Amino acid sequence: DAKTTQPNSMESNEEEPVHLPCNHSTISGTDYIHWYRQLPSQGPEYVIHGLTSNVNNRMASLAIAEDRKSSTLILHRATLRDAAVYYCILIKGNAGGTSYGKLTFGQGTILTVHP
Amino acid sequence: DTGVSQDPRHKITKRGQNVTFRCDPISEHNRLYWYRQTLGQGPEFLTYFQNEAQLEKSRLLSDRFSAERPKGSFSTLEIQRTEQGDSAMYLCASSLQLTGATEGKQYFGPGTRLTVL
C-alpha cells in the first residue's frame, strides 16, 4: 500500500490560512487522496477528498500536485475549532471508481491554532 | 441523520473478563467498520462489513476478538479474556458505498474507551 508522510505538528494563528502538506510519492493511478481530522476526544471526521483535480468544499480546499506525489489541505481561515489531528490517507479505487474503503491512518499532523 | 452511535462510551473491566461493544450505524449505510486507537496513535483498522458479510479482518484481530453484524444493521464487537494491551478507544464508522460511486466517506462514532485493569 502506498504510504503518506506528514509533518508531526504545525501551528497557526486564528483567522490565518493554514497549508497542511502531505507527501505520497508512491501513489498509484487509482488511489484517491482523502483527508480526515480528529478533534480532541472525538472520532475522526471526513474533510475532503480528490483524485487529480483540486477540490473545494465548505470546510477546506485540496490542492493536488500535477504528478500527484503530494497534496496540500488548505484551511482558508483557521479557527480555534480547527485545532485537531489531520490525517492524509490514500484509498484505492478501481476502474469503476468505487473506493475500497478501509482507512489506513498514519500519525497525522497535530494542528495548533493560537488565538 | 442521527449519526453513528456507540455503547457504552466507557468500559472498565478486569483482565480476563469478556466485554461487548455495540455500534449503531447511520441507517441507510451498507458498510460498517471497526477501528482501534491507542493514545497518541492514529486509528488502526480491525474489520469491516458490507451489509451482514464480514469482508476483511486485520491481523490485529486475534482469536479473542469477534465481530458480528446480524441483518446488516447494528454491529457488536466482543473481546474475550481481555488483556491489559486491549485498553484502547474502539471506534466504529459507517459509509454508504454505491457501485461506481467515488465517495465512500466514513462517518465515525464517538468511540468506546476500554480500560483493562
Side-chain angles (χ1 to χ4, degrees):
Chain A
D1 288 345
K3 292 188 176 180
T4 63
T5 304
Q6 300 177 252
N8 289 334
S9 62
M10 291 186 66
E11 298 187 18
S12 174
N13 294 319
E14 205 174 5
E15 299 191 3
E16 290 185 356
V18 182
H19 291 233
L20 297 164
C22 180
N23 287 322
H24 28 78
S25 57
T26 59
I27 191 170
S28 73
T30 57
D31 285 342
Y32 287 80
I33 303 160
H34 285 238
W35 284 80
Y36 281 74
R37 72 179 186 182
Q38 188 170 21
L39 279 64
S41 302
Q42 294 188 26
E45 66 173 340
Y46 167 86
V47 178
I48 200 167
H49 80 281
L51 183 61
T52 56
S53 303
N54 294 344
V55 184
N56 300 297
N57 66 21
R58 64 176 180 79
M59 289 181 71
S61 295
L62 176 60
I64 301 173
E66 196 169 333
D67 62 7
R68 302 210 326 126
K69 293 183 184 295
S70 65
S71 60
T72 302
L73 179 70
I74 303 166
L75 307 178
H76 295 285
R77 291 184 64 188
T79 69
L80 296 178
R81 196 191 171 280
D82 292 322
V85 181
Y86 286 79
Y87 297 99
C88 170
I89 300 168
L90 301 182
I91 301 180
K92 285 197 178 300
N94 59 28
T98 303
S99 63
Y100 181 57
K102 178 177 72 175
L103 299 176
T104 301
F105 291 85
Q107 296 279 65
T109 296
I110 300 171
L111 176 65
T112 302
V113 181
H114 299 288
Chain B
D1 180 357
T2 56
V4 178
S5 61
Q6 294 187 244
D7 184 68
R9 295 291 307 278
H10 303 273
K11 178 72 177 177
I12 300 174
T13 191
K14 293 182 179 179
R15 190 177 54 183
Q17 298 294 305
N18 299 343
V19 294
T20 300
F21 310 140
R22 177 180 171 122
C23 170
D24 286 273
I26 294 172
S27 59
E28 67 270 22
H29 283 185
N30 54 359
R31 283 194 179 174
L32 187 148
Y33 304 81
W34 285 99
Y35 295 85
R36 180 174 69 185
Q37 185 173 27
T38 54
L39 202 61
Q41 304 296 315
E44 296 172 295
F45 168 78
L46 292 179
T47 188
Y48 93 94
F49 294 83
Q50 173 113 353
N51 301 312
E52 65 275 8
Q54 188 173 18
L55 296 187
E56 185 175 349
K57 292 167 60 174
S58 163
R59 290 171 297 174
L60 294 173
L61 217 62
S62 75
D63 291 345
R64 297 185 297 106
F65 288 70
S66 62
E68 294 182 341
R69 192 184 183 197
K71 303 179 183 178
S73 56
F74 71 92
S75 176
T76 59
L77 178 68
E78 181 183 16
I79 309 174
Q80 296 182 326
R81 305 180 304 280
T82 53
E83 302 172 355
Q84 288 185 325
D86 297 330
S87 295
M89 176 75 82
Y90 290 83
L91 293 160
C92 175
S94 70
S95 70
L96 176 62
Q97 191 62 57
L98 302 175
T99 302
T102 59
E103 280 200 18
K105 55 184 171 182
Q106 296 183 22
Y107 295 81
F108 282 79
T112 295
R113 180 164 294 285
L114 173 66
T115 302
V116 182
L117 302 176

